[in-house]
């Protein structure tokens, strides 16, 4: 297994190696996470390769296709992540209900700090050898190959081809996903889910309609939104839910405590704009990517901007409905 430090050192070393004319340079690696942060997901063997005929590029509905078994932890960021903690994951507060109290007016007046520029850059997770050699077009079959092929209206056989790579790469370039090497990874899949949801938010009618506000948490597509009656008042936005051993609990919940400047009980990590709805599970921002291959410790993680907007929408007593399964779990 590769530790976070090992992978970071590999990427740093590669940045110093002279490359051929066809390769692209990448920026220096992000600074290492503080010692107090949770451990990083460890990469394993990359996915198998394959070849097939490709097709034309077009938009379409995104099928919900779970990642193959064992997909968690197989991939690494294709380029260095933003300036915040690499591979950041939230801490195990999901097992610990917070100590509820009424924050003072002075405490509530204090706004969490902004995320540094580049924190939420769309960095795709790719096989380690693709990241090290900086390929221009990956020959690897990605964990979301079939879903991505179907969305792009390619031949859907679940195997990477030259035509697949070029079509996926074009989509990645259009969406600002790096590295744009045509690998069907979690960030590319998540972006397709969000684009499709903006056109058809809840095609399976999973989120119940109530007269009051309901925060809808779709684990299948890793999306969340809020509706009041039939009107959508927030989202949809991408999110990160719990990993296989610490899943976000499904069913009906209620927002019972909101703490704008919450700090995790165990490790002192910030959980800005925390809105607790089931024990220690909460909506909250993270200062790092929400598109990691491994999930959270049970909370619903959001970017800072999305968590801040959600803070302005929900109130204590609002309902939360969670359904589905995180891909790969």
């Amino acid at each position: 297994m590769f530790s976070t430090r090992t992978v970071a050192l590999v990427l740093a070393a590669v940045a110093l190696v002279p490359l051929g004319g066809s390769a692209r340079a990448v920026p220096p690696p992000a600074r290492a996470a503080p010692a107090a942060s949770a451990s990083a997901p460890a990469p394993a063997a990359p996915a198998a390769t394959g070849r097939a005929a490709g097709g034309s590029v077009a938009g379409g509905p995104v099928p919900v296709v779970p990642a193959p078994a064992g997909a968690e932890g197989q991939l690494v960021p294709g380029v260095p992540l933003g300036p915040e903690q690499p591979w950041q994951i939230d801490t195990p507060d999901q097992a610990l209900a917070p100590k509820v109290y009424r924050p003072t007016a002075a405490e509530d007046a204090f706004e969490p700090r902004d995320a540094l520029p580049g924190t939420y850059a769309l960095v795709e997770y790719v096989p380690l050898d693709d990241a090290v050699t900086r390929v221009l077009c990956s020959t690897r079959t990605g964990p979301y190959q079939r879903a991505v092929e179907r969305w792009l209206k390619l031949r859907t056989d679940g195997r990477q081809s030259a035509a697949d790579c070029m079509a996926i790469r074009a989509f990645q370039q259009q969406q600002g996903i790096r590295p744009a090497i045509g690998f069907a990874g979690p960030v590319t899949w998540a972006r397709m889910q969000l684009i499709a949801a903006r056109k058809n938010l809840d095609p399976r009618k999973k989120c119940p309609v109530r007269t009051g506000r309901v925060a809808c948490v779709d684990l299948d597509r890793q999306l969340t939104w809020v509706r009041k009656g039939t009107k959508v008042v927030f989202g949809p936005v991408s999110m990160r839910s719990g990993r296989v051993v610490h899943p976000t609990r499904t069913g009906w919940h209620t927002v019972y405590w909101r703490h704008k400047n919450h700090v995790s009980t165990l490790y002192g990590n910030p959980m800005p704009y925390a809105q607790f709805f089931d024990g220690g599970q909460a909506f909250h921002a993270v200062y790092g990517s929400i598109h990691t291959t491994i999930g959270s410790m049970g909370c619903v993680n959001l970017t800072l901007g999305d968590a801040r907007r959600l803070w302005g929408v929900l109130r204590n007593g609002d309902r939360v409905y969670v359904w589905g399964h995180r891909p790969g779990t």
Side-chain angles (χ1 to χ4, degrees):
M1 296 178 63
F2 295 85
S3 68
T4 301
R5 179 176 176 82
T6 300
V7 174
L9 290 174
V10 169
L11 293 177
V14 170
L16 300 177
V17 177
L19 301 172
S22 61
R24 297 181 304 164
V26 297
R31 60 181 175 83
S37 65
S39 59
T49 60
R51 293 282 178 182
S56 60
V57 180
V62 180
V64 177
V65 181
E72 286 196 351
Q74 287 185 347
L75 307 175
V76 300
V79 297
L81 294 174
E84 304 283 2
Q85 298 178 22
W87 288 283
Q88 181 174 345
I89 52 179
D90 70 344
T91 52
D93 277 1
Q94 64 95 26
L96 304 171
K99 181 179 179 180
V100 177
Y101 69 95
R102 183 184 295 276
T104 65
E107 183 179 354
D108 269 348
F110 183 79
E111 291 294 327
R113 70 172 178 85
D114 289 335
L116 296 175
T119 296
Y120 305 115
L122 297 176
V123 175
E124 184 59 275
Y125 280 68
V126 303
L128 179 59
D129 56 347
D130 279 0
V132 170
T133 58
R134 302 178 193 172
V135 298
L136 291 179
C137 215
S138 178
T139 61
R140 301 283 187 172
T141 294
Y144 298 91
Q145 191 74 33
R146 286 185 180 275
V148 169
E149 287 171 344
R150 192 172 290 118
W151 197 87
L152 292 173
K153 296 188 176 180
L154 302 167
R155 177 179 174 181
T156 307
D157 59 3
R159 295 185 299 169
Q160 179 77 317
S161 70
D164 289 345
C165 183
M166 293 302 294
I168 297 168
R169 187 169 183 259
F171 174 83
Q172 291 169 336
Q173 290 173 330
Q174 180 189 53
Q175 296 296 316
I177 298 171
R178 298 184 302 128
I181 61 173
F183 182 75
V187 177
T188 301
W189 173 84
R191 195 66 180 172
M192 290 176 172
Q193 297 288 347
L194 182 60
I195 291 171
R198 288 170 176 168
K199 297 178 181 178
N200 187 3
L201 179 58
D202 192 9
R204 300 183 181 184
K205 309 300 180 187
K206 290 287 189 177
C207 193
V209 175
R210 296 290 186 270
T211 55
R213 286 181 292 269
V214 176
C216 309
V217 181
D218 184 344
L219 303 182
D220 293 326
R221 297 184 293 166
Q222 293 292 287
L223 297 171
T224 191
W225 64 93
V226 179
R227 64 170 20 136
K228 185 176 182 181
T230 58
K231 182 180 180 180
V232 177
V233 295
F234 170 83
V237 298
S238 295
M239 56 98 172
R240 177 178 61 186
S241 66
R243 67 192 67 183
V244 62
V245 294
H246 295 293
T248 304
R249 292 182 281 273
T250 57
W252 281 105
H253 310 288
T254 301
V255 177
Y256 70 89
W257 190 50
R258 290 158 29 97
H259 193 199
K260 186 184 291 184
N261 295 285
H262 192 68
V263 175
S264 69
T265 307
L266 294 180
Y267 298 116
N269 278 0
M271 297 169 61
Y273 301 103
Q275 303 191 72
F276 290 88
F277 57 82
D278 184 20
Q281 295 192 350
F283 297 105
H284 70 84
V286 291
Y287 290 109
S289 174
I290 62 170
H291 296 301
T292 54
T293 56
I294 194 167
S296 75
M297 294 296 290
C299 288
V300 176
N301 296 162
L302 302 166
T303 67
L304 188 76
D306 288 340
R308 181 179 288 152
R309 285 187 288 274
L310 184 61
W311 178 269
V313 172
L314 294 180
R315 297 291 182 270
N316 284 335
D318 285 343
R319 304 303 304 276
V320 178
Y321 186 70
V322 183
W323 72 93
H325 299 276
R326 177 180 169 84
T329 64

